[in-house]
Amino acid sequence: MRLLIISDIHANLTALETVLQDADGEWDHLWCLGDVVGYGPDPNECVALLRSFDPISLTGNHDWAVLGKLDVESFNEDAQAAIRWTRAELAPEHRAYLESLPATLIPEPDLTLAHASPRQPVWEYVLDVNTAFANFYHFDTPFCLVGHTHVPIIFGQDPDGILVMPPRYRTPITLDRQGRRLIINPGSVGQPRDSDPRAAYALLDLETWTWEHRRVVYDITATQERMREHDLPARLITRLEYGW
């Protein structure tokens, strides 16, 4: 089975549609690692499009905040504004769908999924070797897929410490289920934060056990125009073109 792995769409329909077009014909099933909404201008459209593929999907911290499961005051002012706007916009059927999503899941014997981290599935950022090291003790499968940071990266568990593997785009790598355990992040579809504004996603082939990081250019201006129409915060609009 070939999987399209996405995370952190953040209500950016243009980015999501571009990813789907870029990967067209190369996957059989879709897995989403959470944060379908928040920040962006298209919450209903993104939830509807995601649901149309009957995916395996997780919830994220912004999804929880929109649902009232997290205190909005724990977010910065721009994120708070986007969360409150999304709450008012989100259709009841899409709210119910987000309510149904788990924060962590083991869909295959060799794979754990968590939005943020296996230790704290909704909130913790796995951005450094110390956090990665601690989290390897909180899942039992060879591999754990996470999102949340908006940064594509792989952390590997070695006897001498943690190996950090930056993404090599459109270059499949083999995942050895008997070898090094990995925490893998595909990056963000809708709001990358690694100084690369291109939408990020990945492909995972469960027959060959290969993982492929991908990036694709999308029409950022179109998303920014819709954000301005809804009077979303200027900083959220600007950051899309810089990838931060």
Side-chain angles (χ1 to χ4, degrees), residues 35 59-70 87 101 103 122:
D35 272 354
T59 191
N61 58 308
H62 282 259
D63 302 326
W64 267 23
V66 167
L67 298 172
K69 295 183 177 183
L70 282 179
R87 284 178 178 173
L101 301 180
V122 173

Side-chain angles (χ1 to χ4, degrees), residues 96 101 118 177 193 206:
L101 301 180
R177 288 172 287 169
R193 293 181 185 168
L206 294 184

Side-chain angles (χ1 to χ4, degrees), residues 110 161 176:
D110 294 318
D176 182 359

Side-chain angles (χ1 to χ4, degrees), residues 48-65:
L49 182 55
L50 181 68
R51 292 178 65 186
S52 72
F53 295 103
D54 191 25
I56 286 177
S57 189
L58 304 181
T59 191
N61 58 308
H62 282 259
D63 302 326
W64 267 23

Side-chain angles (χ1 to χ4, degrees), residues 191-210:
Q191 195 198 81
R193 293 181 185 168
D194 59 346
S195 300
D196 184 341
R198 296 177 297 168
Y201 72 97
L203 297 173
L204 173 60
D205 191 320
L206 294 184
E207 293 183 5
T208 61
W209 282 96
T210 54

Side-chain angles (χ1 to χ4, degrees), residues 205-232:
D205 191 320
L206 294 184
E207 293 183 5
T208 61
W209 282 96
T210 54
W211 173 274
E212 182 181 345
H213 283 288
R214 291 241 180 131
R215 295 304 275 263
V216 60
V217 174
Y218 74 96
D219 188 351
I220 293 171
T221 301
T223 300
Q224 290 175 318
E225 289 175 353
R226 292 196 302 280
M227 293 176 77
R228 292 188 184 97
E229 290 171 4
H230 295 299
D231 199 27
L232 288 167

Side-chain angles (χ1 to χ4, degrees), residues 43-204:
N44 289 302
E45 295 83 354
C46 285
V47 176
L49 182 55
L50 181 68
R51 292 178 65 186
S52 72
F53 295 103
D54 191 25
I56 286 177
S57 189
L58 304 181
T59 191
N61 58 308
H62 282 259
D63 302 326
W64 267 23
V66 167
L67 298 172
K69 295 183 177 183
L70 282 179
D71 183 359
V72 71
E73 298 297 328
S74 61
F75 293 78
N76 66 57
E77 290 185 4
D78 291 335
Q80 289 180 34
I83 288 165
R84 292 189 176 104
W85 177 84
T86 303
R87 284 178 178 173
E89 292 290 319
L90 194 63
E93 63 268 28
H94 299 323
R95 181 181 298 274
Y97 174 74
L98 294 180
E99 288 271 11
S100 73
L101 301 180
T104 186
L105 197 64
I106 303 176
E108 296 283 340
D110 294 318
L111 287 163
T112 297
L113 310 183
H115 171 65
S117 77
R119 179 168 64 174
Q120 299 178 23
V122 173
W123 195 258
E124 182 176 41
Y125 290 87
V126 184
L127 279 168
D128 58 80
V129 294
N130 291 330
T131 307
F133 177 82
N135 270 280
F136 277 106
Y137 295 94
H138 290 267
F139 67 99
D140 297 321
T141 56
F143 312 117
C144 180
L145 308 185
V146 300
H148 190 50
T149 67
H150 300 207
V151 176
I153 199 165
I154 300 176
F155 294 98
Q157 185 185 42
D158 275 354
D160 297 328
I162 301 299
L163 178 68
V164 180
M165 293 173 275
R168 297 175 60 193
Y169 296 112
R170 300 185 186 269
T171 304
I173 62 171
T174 300
L175 306 182
D176 182 359
R177 288 172 287 169
Q178 307 303 319
R180 180 187 293 125
R181 298 175 71 223
L182 303 174
I183 296 174
I184 310 175
N185 192 322
S188 171
V189 169
Q191 195 198 81
R193 293 181 185 168
D194 59 346
S195 300
D196 184 341
R198 296 177 297 168
Y201 72 97
L203 297 173
L204 173 60

